[in-house]
Amino acid sequence: MPKQGLPTAELIDLAQQLRVDSIRATDTAGSGHATSSMSAAELAAVLLANHLRYDFDRPDHPGNDHLILSKGHASPLLYSLYRAAGAVTDEELLTFRTRGSRLEGHPTPRLPWVDVATGSLGQGLPVGVGIAMSGKRLERIPYRVWVISGDSEMAEGSVWEAIEHAAAEGLDNLTLVVDVNRLGQRGPTRHGHDLDAYARRLQAFGWHTVEIDGHDVDAVDRAYREAASTTGRPTAVLAKTVKGKGVDAVADQEGKHGKPLEDATEAIAELGGVRAVHVDVHKPSAARTLHAVPSGHLTLPRFEKGGEQVATRDAFGRALAALGAARGDVVALDGEVGDSTRTEYFGKEHPDRYFEYYIAEQLLVAAGVGMQVRGHVPYVSTFAAFLTRAHDFLRMAAVSRADLNVIGSHAGVAIGEDGPSQMGLEDLAMMRAVHGSTVLCPSDANQTAKLVAAMADLRGIRYLRTGRGATDVLYGPDEEFPIGGSKVLRRSDADRLTLVAAGTTVPEALAAADLVAADGIDVRVVDLYSVKPVDAPTLWTAAEETGCLVTVEDHHPEGGIGDAVAEAFADGRPTPRMVRLSVSSMPGSASPEEQLYGAGIDARSVAAAVRLMVEKGVVR
Amino acid sequence: MPKQGLPTAELIDLAQQLRVDSIRATDTAGSGHATSSMSAAELAAVLLANHLRYDFDRPDHPGNDHLILSKGHASPLLYSLYRAAGAVTDEELLTFRTRGSRLEGHPTPRLPWVDVATGSLGQGLPVGVGIAMSGKRLERIPYRVWVISGDSEMAEGSVWEAIEHAAAEGLDNLTLVVDVNRLGQRGPTRHGHDLDAYARRLQAFGWHTVEIDGHDVDAVDRAYREAASTTGRPTAVLAKTVKGKGVDAVADQEGKHGKPLEDATEAIAELGGVRAVHVDVHKPSAARTLHAVPSGHLTLPRFEKGGEQVATRDAFGRALAALGAARGDVVALDGEVGDSTRTEYFGKEHPDRYFEYYIAEQLLVAAGVGMQVRGHVPYVSTFAAFLTRAHDFLRMAAVSRADLNVIGSHAGVAIGEDGPSQMGLEDLAMMRAVHGSTVLCPSDANQTAKLVAAMADLRGIRYLRTGRGATDVLYGPDEEFPIGGSKVLRRSDADRLTLVAAGTTVPEALAAADLVAADGIDVRVVDLYSVKPVDAPTLWTAAEETGCLVTVEDHHPEGGIGDAVAEAFADGRPTPRMVRLSVSSMPGSASPEEQLYGAGIDARSVAAAVRLMVEKGVVR
């Protein structure tokens, strides 16, 4: 193993190379953030050459450090680092931002050394907290997490959620490097070059801070050593830098953000020309595998069909606890509502794999993303309504190709008296529109349990929606519920329409079917527990045989089950008549029964709608 | 005017009354947060009796103070305050949480004295910042903003976005009262009763802090006086309190959150029984009207049809600047991307009404909500992708019945090289699912300008989606674009299908129509600029006459234009065949043209899809 640690002159040379390469990449691309890369060149060079422990040939090495470029727009700097490390060729470097290149405008895990996508600011540190928590609390592997952040993004609240958590947990394996270049996109940042302003805040939260000239490679090196040797708390290296450093035409000037340099040739000459410094990056020590392998047989809770009513959130909690017993890789994260979401059941049985993130939903989701980077299988839970707080993190998790289970409880008006602030009424729209997501909406306890287990092995973002109140157990404990499936709960050859429901509205639809059957009207009932992917063939058959699909959902009219059903017919095939019953008015406080009635999605209202459709001749 | 200021004994009595009434309300309702109300009884009593200036008969009095109960679950306390002020009768108090009552589980503006809905934690202070900014920078009226917050919600990043901004702006008209009762929902908070932990953090951000025993009415009174007399910076009153204070059966105990007391009668006896203390709340001084009335004639920018290409974001910026010249009530807020969203045009012309909120999108939206509380007409802008950061605030803004203009720029893959982190691909799904929202997606500069002006007078949350790149000017400057309308850009009696597009995809659809026309295939083209409400009659006609609707959108398949069109047929009427062309794969970096082609939504791809449908006999 070569001794790590370049001498000062070579570090300076490497930093200049990173600048030159950032200019070359953006110049060839005709776009990109040259000046934002240039300010952090020494910060990146010293990290790569003297501190990072990383095996570029084995990005899955469990001992690897994690480097997150939170200021993702400075991607040219990251790619230039990869070139210096020999991971990316000069030829590939110059494919930056072109179609098909792995070197995207903002980093994504299409590159094997990128853990998570960045580019939406203020996400790097929260994700880094999840990775650092994993190292400290789950794996006990001494890798370090290095987050390079911009100064502008320190305004994001998500960063302060992470700062609070990192200090409280004593994450001394986490280093935040802030490239304080004083200039944001449209002009000066709030604090300019006032490093103390950042230091005061971070110290108040319990961080160790080091303030340096970010262009002094020796100072940077000392700061990183100090960070690595500080125990019991995380360290922030606050580096005063110059945006566009090294090139007079752009240095420290407004209006130079997010664009290539006007005269790249002259700039490269000013920086001493193109170089080919290669860094033998220090490899990590051997480390054991990440976590206990799946350890036992899964024994899901079983609920008696037609027996005592059970809330799907209860079934979720019990199933998750059982899954945790069977699989060592499952972890649970909650936002201070574990007694409501029922993750507390998991927490009681597996306290070492249960993580309380308090009321900080952005961090909650980001930390889950961080933990899946390390190979864990996180289940992240809060109220469905409050998941909207983390929408940007869920969106970016998809860009990160993260595998993440997300659970939203207290869905819909069915929660009752608490009122609209607590009701998840847009969660299906939000989660369906996440790229590559799976969206599940179980209607009973056994179905919930089976889906909780099935989620663990899916790819991408998978969402499970649970309800607050106890509802009938509709299925036996041995029934199977494949992802992408549905259940036809009522059918006859005389069905005049099909009620398509999911979650709380399934028992309402069943009761409505009974009510209209008494009037001689047969209707089909489909339990659409898999909202995405949706069981198109069953819907096609229902459309063909009954001619009309009536969706019944405890959700706003847009983007939910009505849309999922419509999308199944968006391939040009003949389309049935459709009706959406959903929550279209603003609820207030009322009992769950009154709420469902008020929204027109209880059994009586659904039955009335069916009768009206028959009377008006809408159905056959 | 009666002298304000109750003596100590009466303040103590009032606080006990607030406890008793909170217990009575929750007991009658059978649900609700009694103990969370009880901890803050003195904090609320002293505020009402000695400090708040508020005319309950004139909630629209411009001089009124603003009281925001950020810990909205403690609504019984707020309603008990209203009873003490004579605004709510005892009879109404006991309607708490029942169907039809204004006294919802969490406060909403159905009560005229409630500015904004709370219940999603961490929103009160950010909204309060908007109201305080309005008082300081726009109206120069010396009202005060009082935010009563829980301790748990201090974990929300949005709170720290607000704390940073309030200090930087020197908002000494803002007081944050933190009810540090040490217990969250499922257990102890991170900092327990460590008031210093909060004080250190707040001071580091530049706040003045006062630490007190929150049950000592004299100490509370002194703290509020200190807050009111502190100049140049905001004050936080950090009050050590006991959850469930006053009733031994629940005081300072876990497991007592969010439920009525088990023995209300005994608890009320312990608190000294039911009282009828009335407070003559001090009224505000006379204040002038809120802002300059609409002042002049609106002269929107005019763009030449078929002339130079113009980006819709440019048209937005220019129209907003023009609107600002015509109307004194229009204000603009941006999240440090005004050079990209083009709100900088407004900022240059109306710097006194332009507000930079830096990269803190939650605060950005919340501050807009706060400013509309004061009667202003805010236009809040950032990238469409980053609006997801503020989803919970947009959702709650609807519960708050806020009138707010929201602009998301850089929509879709059409932005090109920057990649998916910067692309708004789920904004239509998010904004359509906001209750009562208006969603506009203009395709050219003149249309954008007209819609920017029309938005100002709508109710609710209205969203405008703009694009990055310059596109054709399709309409003349005198064309009208009513909300809820659309434009049929191509039609013949021989149309075999209808292309429905909006925004960037409109010129693509037009070009596709030209391409297939050359093959003898006539297609209709609809510019669906009003995505919500949608122009159903035009879609119905197109369905009847062409039999097939093909939506073309630069958005994920879920919840966008495809869904908006499907929803127009969700009333049981015969449904046309439908096809959705949208962004269904994860984009990388590429030029705008390559991106549209890659997603299959450019002219060539749309034309190919049309030809295929004709070949396959999908269309007539």
Side-chain angles (χ1 to χ4, degrees):
Chain A
M1 196 181 295
K3 184 180 169 305
Q4 195 169 26
L6 289 186
T8 303
E10 288 180 40
L11 288 172
I12 293 171
D13 207 34
L14 175 60
Q16 293 294 75
Q17 169 172 312
L18 298 178
R19 286 195 176 90
V20 168
D21 285 353
S22 297
I23 292 169
R24 292 169 64 222
T26 49
D27 186 60
T28 309
S31 71
H33 298 72
T35 57
S36 301
S37 299
M38 293 160 76
S39 58
E42 283 80 11
L43 296 172
V46 176
L47 182 60
L48 185 78
N50 288 10
H51 296 274
L52 193 74
R53 288 167 164 253
Y54 198 91
D55 186 342
F56 277 88
D57 295 325
R58 289 188 55 198
D60 60 343
H61 191 302
N64 278 342
D65 280 359
H66 292 266
L67 165 58
I68 302 177
L69 183 70
S70 187
K71 48 178 291 185
H73 54 284
S75 58
L77 175 67
L78 187 69
Y79 305 149
S80 300
L81 266 191
Y82 292 161
R83 180 192 166 228
V88 157
T89 63
D90 197 57
E91 192 183 0
E92 185 172 15
L93 179 68
L94 300 182
T95 66
F96 178 53
R97 283 177 167 250
T98 58
R99 183 163 178 236
S101 171
R102 301 186 297 178
L103 310 190
E104 297 190 35
H106 296 75
T108 76
R110 287 176 65 192
L111 287 165
W113 320 289
V114 173
D115 291 322
V116 288
T118 50
S120 178
L121 293 169
Q123 301 210 3
L125 189 66
V127 171
V129 163
I131 299 175
M133 284 290 289
S134 188
K136 276 274 174 191
R137 305 271 177 270
L138 290 169
E139 308 164 43
R140 302 199 167 78
I141 298 180
Y143 59 77
R144 295 196 64 77
V145 182
W146 304 89
V147 176
I148 300 180
S149 156
D151 46 355
S152 284
E153 63 184 299
M154 298 295 283
E156 285 284 13
S158 57
V159 171
W160 295 94
E161 294 179 4
I163 286 169
E164 172 81 329
H165 196 88
E169 295 284 341
L171 298 182
D172 51 21
N173 56 346
L174 174 67
T175 305
L176 172 66
V177 181
V178 188
D179 175 24
V180 185
N181 68 19
R182 159 188 111 71
L183 290 172
Q185 172 179 318
R186 65 101 212 90
T189 61
R190 178 172 266 141
H191 297 299
H193 267 148
D194 182 4
L195 297 186
D196 286 348
Y198 298 103
R200 275 195 306 275
R201 288 160 173 75
L202 281 153
Q203 287 166 12
F205 279 80
W207 281 56
H208 179 58
T209 62
V210 191
E211 299 175 43
I212 56 166
D213 171 354
H215 300 306
D216 176 344
V217 292
D218 294 325
V220 175
D221 190 60
R222 281 194 303 273
Y224 290 169
R225 282 183 209 287
E226 186 171 327
S229 64
T230 298
T231 56
R233 54 193 174 145
T235 296
V237 176
L238 303 168
K240 179 177 173 179
T241 63
V242 172
K243 196 161 178 172
K245 169 77 178 178
V247 175
D248 273 352
V250 295
D252 203 32
Q253 288 174 44
E254 293 187 39
K256 303 297 181 187
H257 179 92
K259 49 185 78 158
L261 270 51
E262 278 172 31
D263 191 335
T265 310
E266 189 174 298
I268 292 167
E270 188 177 343
L271 291 163
V274 177
R275 293 167 178 79
V277 179
H278 174 77
V279 178
D280 279 322
V281 177
H282 198 85
K283 290 189 170 50
S285 311
R288 62 171 171 76
T289 50
L290 296 182
H291 44 68
V293 281
S295 46
H297 180 71
L298 173 61
T299 309
L300 284 175
R302 297 169 66 86
F303 304 92
E304 190 191 343
K305 181 175 174 177
E308 203 180 343
Q309 289 194 322
V310 184
T312 51
R313 61 174 170 147
D314 278 318
F316 155 71
R318 291 181 54 189
L320 186 63
L323 190 66
R327 295 181 59 145
D329 55 355
V330 168
V331 297
L333 297 78
D334 202 283
E336 218 269 329
V337 288
D339 54 335
S340 285
T341 60
R342 305 306 199 213
T343 55
E344 68 175 8
Y345 301 163
F346 182 99
K348 278 171 190 161
E349 291 189 29
H350 316 289
D352 51 327
R353 285 182 276 143
Y354 183 70
F355 298 93
E356 174 63 75
Y357 277 92
Y358 296 92
I359 307 182
E361 294 83 3
Q362 299 183 98
L363 174 64
L364 172 69
V365 169
V369 171
M371 285 191 162
Q372 65 85 40
V373 164
R374 294 295 307 176
H376 305 288
V377 179
Y379 282 71
V380 169
S381 310
T382 184
F383 282 32
F386 305 143
L387 283 172
T388 55
R389 203 68 160 244
H391 189 169
D392 195 29
F393 289 77
L394 294 162
R395 176 184 80 86
M396 287 298 292
V399 183
S400 292
R401 282 72 169 169
D403 296 321
L404 189 71
N405 304 290
V406 180
I407 292 82
S409 71
H410 292 68
V413 299
I415 67 164
E417 290 82 359
D418 270 334
S421 65
Q422 318 294 302
M423 295 171 173
L425 286 168
E426 50 288 293
D427 56 321
L428 296 177
M430 175 175 77
M431 297 307 305
R432 285 183 65 248
V434 169
H435 178 75
S437 64
T438 301
V439 177
L440 306 170
C441 187
S443 62
D444 95 334
N446 285 313
Q447 194 181 63
T448 304
K450 287 287 173 72
L451 293 175
V452 167
M455 289 169 83
D457 296 314
L458 301 177
R459 302 302 309 271
I461 313 301
R462 43 271 186 166
Y463 175 59
L464 183 86
R465 181 188 221 216
T466 65
R468 174 177 174 275
T471 51
D472 289 343
V473 178
L474 303 171
Y475 300 99
D478 297 315
E479 186 107 15
E480 294 299 327
F481 302 95
I483 304 298
S486 68
K487 292 287 172 184
V488 179
L489 291 174
R490 292 276 193 284
R491 92 163 293 292
S492 81
D493 291 341
D495 291 338
R496 300 178 72 175
L497 58 77
T498 302
L499 297 175
V500 184
T504 321
T505 56
V506 171
E508 302 297 329
L510 285 171
D514 292 342
L515 286 172
V516 297
D519 304 334
I521 305 170
D522 287 336
V523 303
R524 189 164 301 183
V525 177
V526 175
D527 176 357
L528 200 76
Y529 62 84
S530 180
V531 178
K532 181 184 174 187
V534 78
D535 184 0
T538 294
L539 295 173
W540 296 337
T541 302
E544 221 167 275
E545 295 182 358
T546 74
C548 179
L549 304 185
V550 179
T551 50
V552 190
E553 60 185 311
D554 195 353
H555 186 274
H556 284 157
E558 302 87 0
I561 293 165
D563 183 26
V565 170
E567 210 192 330
F569 294 89
D571 59 355
R573 73 183 54 238
T575 311
R577 290 176 191 247
M578 298 194 193
V579 171
R580 292 186 187 189
L581 303 178
S582 57
V583 182
S584 54
S585 58
M586 177 63 74
S589 283
S591 72
E593 298 70 28
E594 288 168 339
Q595 297 278 15
L596 292 172
Y597 175 73
I601 54 173
D602 68 325
R604 280 177 304 165
S605 303
V606 174
V610 170
R611 286 192 201 100
L612 187 70
M613 290 171 68
V614 171
E615 276 166 31
K616 296 277 182 194
V618 171
V619 297
R620 298 169 189 169
Chain B
M1 196 179 294
K3 187 181 168 303
Q4 195 167 26
L6 289 185
T8 302
E10 288 180 39
L11 288 172
I12 292 171
D13 205 35
L14 174 60
Q16 292 294 74
Q17 169 172 313
L18 298 177
R19 286 195 176 90
V20 168
D21 285 353
S22 296
I23 292 170
R24 293 168 64 221
T26 50
D27 185 60
T28 308
S31 71
H33 299 71
T35 57
S36 301
S37 298
M38 293 159 75
S39 59
E42 283 80 11
L43 296 172
V46 176
L47 182 59
L48 184 78
N50 289 10
H51 296 273
L52 193 74
R53 288 167 165 254
Y54 198 91
D55 187 341
F56 278 88
D57 295 325
R58 289 188 55 199
D60 61 343
H61 190 302
N64 278 342
D65 279 358
H66 292 266
L67 165 58
I68 302 178
L69 183 70
S70 187
K71 48 178 290 184
H73 53 286
S75 58
L77 176 66
L78 188 69
Y79 305 150
S80 300
L81 266 191
Y82 292 163
R83 180 191 167 229
V88 157
T89 63
D90 197 57
E91 192 183 358
E92 185 172 15
L93 178 69
L94 300 181
T95 66
F96 178 52
R97 282 177 167 251
T98 58
R99 183 164 180 237
S101 172
R102 299 187 298 177
L103 309 190
E104 297 189 35
H106 295 74
T108 75
R110 287 175 67 192
L111 286 165
W113 320 288
V114 173
D115 291 324
V116 288
T118 51
S120 178
L121 292 169
Q123 300 211 4
L125 189 66
V127 171
V129 163
I131 300 176
M133 285 289 288
S134 187
K136 276 275 176 192
R137 304 273 177 270
L138 290 169
E139 307 163 43
R140 301 198 169 79
I141 299 180
Y143 59 77
R144 295 196 65 76
V145 182
W146 304 89
V147 176
I148 299 180
S149 156
D151 45 356
S152 284
E153 63 184 301
M154 298 295 283
E156 286 283 12
S158 56
V159 171
W160 295 94
E161 294 178 4
I163 286 170
E164 172 80 331
H165 196 89
E169 295 284 342
L171 298 182
D172 52 21
N173 56 345
L174 174 68
T175 304
L176 172 66
V177 181
V178 188
D179 175 24
V180 185
N181 67 21
R182 148 185 121 72
L183 290 172
Q185 171 179 318
R186 66 99 213 93
T189 61
R190 177 171 266 140
H191 297 298
H193 267 146
D194 182 5
L195 297 187
D196 285 349
Y198 298 103
R200 275 194 305 277
R201 288 160 172 75
L202 281 153
Q203 287 166 13
F205 279 80
W207 281 56
H208 179 59
T209 61
V210 191
E211 299 175 42
I212 55 166
D213 171 354
H215 300 306
D216 176 343
V217 292
D218 293 326
V220 174
D221 190 61
R222 282 193 303 273
Y224 290 169
R225 281 183 210 287
E226 187 171 326
S229 64
T230 299
T231 56
R233 53 190 173 146
T235 296
V237 175
L238 303 168
K240 180 177 172 179
T241 62
V242 172
K243 196 161 177 173
K245 168 78 177 177
V247 174
D248 273 352
V250 295
D252 204 31
Q253 288 174 44
E254 293 188 38
K256 303 298 182 188
H257 179 92
K259 49 184 80 159
L261 270 53
E262 277 172 31
D263 191 336
T265 310
E266 188 173 300
I268 292 168
E270 189 178 343
L271 291 163
V274 177
R275 294 166 177 78
V277 178
H278 175 78
V279 178
D280 279 322
V281 178
H282 199 84
K283 289 189 170 51
S285 312
R288 63 171 170 76
T289 50
L290 296 182
H291 44 70
V293 281
S295 47
H297 180 71
L298 173 61
T299 309
L300 284 175
R302 297 169 66 86
F303 305 92
E304 192 191 341
K305 181 176 173 176
E308 203 180 343
Q309 289 193 322
V310 184
T312 51
R313 60 176 171 146
D314 277 320
F316 155 70
R318 291 181 55 189
L320 186 63
L323 190 66
R327 294 181 60 146
D329 54 356
V330 168
V331 297
L333 296 77
D334 202 282
E336 218 270 327
V337 287
D339 54 335
S340 286
T341 60
R342 306 304 200 216
T343 55
E344 68 175 8
Y345 299 164
F346 182 99
K348 279 171 189 160
E349 291 190 31
H350 316 289
D352 51 327
R353 284 182 277 142
Y354 183 69
F355 298 93
E356 174 62 76
Y357 278 92
Y358 296 92
I359 307 183
E361 293 83 3
Q362 299 183 97
L363 174 64
L364 172 69
V365 169
V369 171
M371 286 191 161
Q372 65 84 41
V373 164
R374 295 295 306 177
H376 306 288
V377 180
Y379 281 71
V380 168
S381 310
T382 184
F383 282 32
F386 305 143
L387 282 173
T388 54
R389 203 69 161 243
H391 189 168
D392 195 31
F393 289 77
L394 293 162
R395 175 184 80 86
M396 287 297 293
V399 183
S400 293
R401 281 73 171 169
D403 297 320
L404 189 70
N405 304 289
V406 180
I407 290 83
S409 71
H410 292 67
V413 298
I415 67 163
E417 290 82 357
D418 271 333
S421 65
Q422 318 293 302
M423 295 170 172
L425 286 168
E426 50 289 292
D427 56 320
L428 295 178
M430 175 175 76
M431 297 306 304
R432 285 183 65 248
V434 170
H435 178 76
S437 65
T438 300
V439 177
L440 305 170
C441 186
S443 62
D444 96 334
N446 286 313
Q447 195 182 61
T448 304
K450 288 287 173 70
L451 293 175
V452 168
M455 288 170 83
D457 295 315
L458 300 178
R459 301 302 308 270
I461 313 301
R462 43 271 186 164
Y463 175 59
L464 183 87
R465 181 188 221 217
T466 65
R468 174 178 174 274
T471 51
D472 290 342
V473 178
L474 303 171
Y475 301 99
D478 297 315
E479 186 107 14
E480 294 299 327
F481 303 95
I483 305 298
S486 68
K487 291 288 172 184
V488 180
L489 291 173
R490 293 274 192 286
R491 93 164 292 291
S492 81
D493 291 340
D495 291 338
R496 299 178 71 175
L497 58 77
T498 302
L499 297 175
V500 184
T504 322
T505 57
V506 171
E508 302 298 329
L510 285 171
D514 292 343
L515 287 171
V516 297
D519 303 333
I521 305 170
D522 286 336
V523 303
R524 190 164 301 183
V525 177
V526 175
D527 176 357
L528 201 74
Y529 63 84
S530 181
V531 178
K532 180 184 176 188
V534 77
D535 183 0
T538 293
L539 296 173
W540 296 338
T541 302
E544 219 166 277
E545 295 182 0
T546 74
C548 179
L549 304 185
V550 179
T551 51
V552 190
E553 58 185 313
D554 195 352
H555 186 274
H556 285 157
E558 303 87 1
I561 292 164
D563 183 28
V565 170
E567 210 192 328
F569 294 89
D571 60 354
R573 71 183 54 238
T575 311
R577 290 176 191 248
M578 297 194 193
V579 171
R580 292 186 187 189
L581 303 178
S582 58
V583 182
S584 53
S585 58
M586 176 63 73
S589 282
S591 72
E593 298 71 27
E594 289 168 339
Q595 298 277 15
L596 292 172
Y597 175 72
I601 53 173
D602 69 325
R604 280 177 304 165
S605 304
V606 173
V610 170
R611 286 191 202 99
L612 187 69
M613 290 171 67
V614 170
E615 277 166 30
K616 296 278 181 195
V618 172
V619 297
R620 300 170 187 169

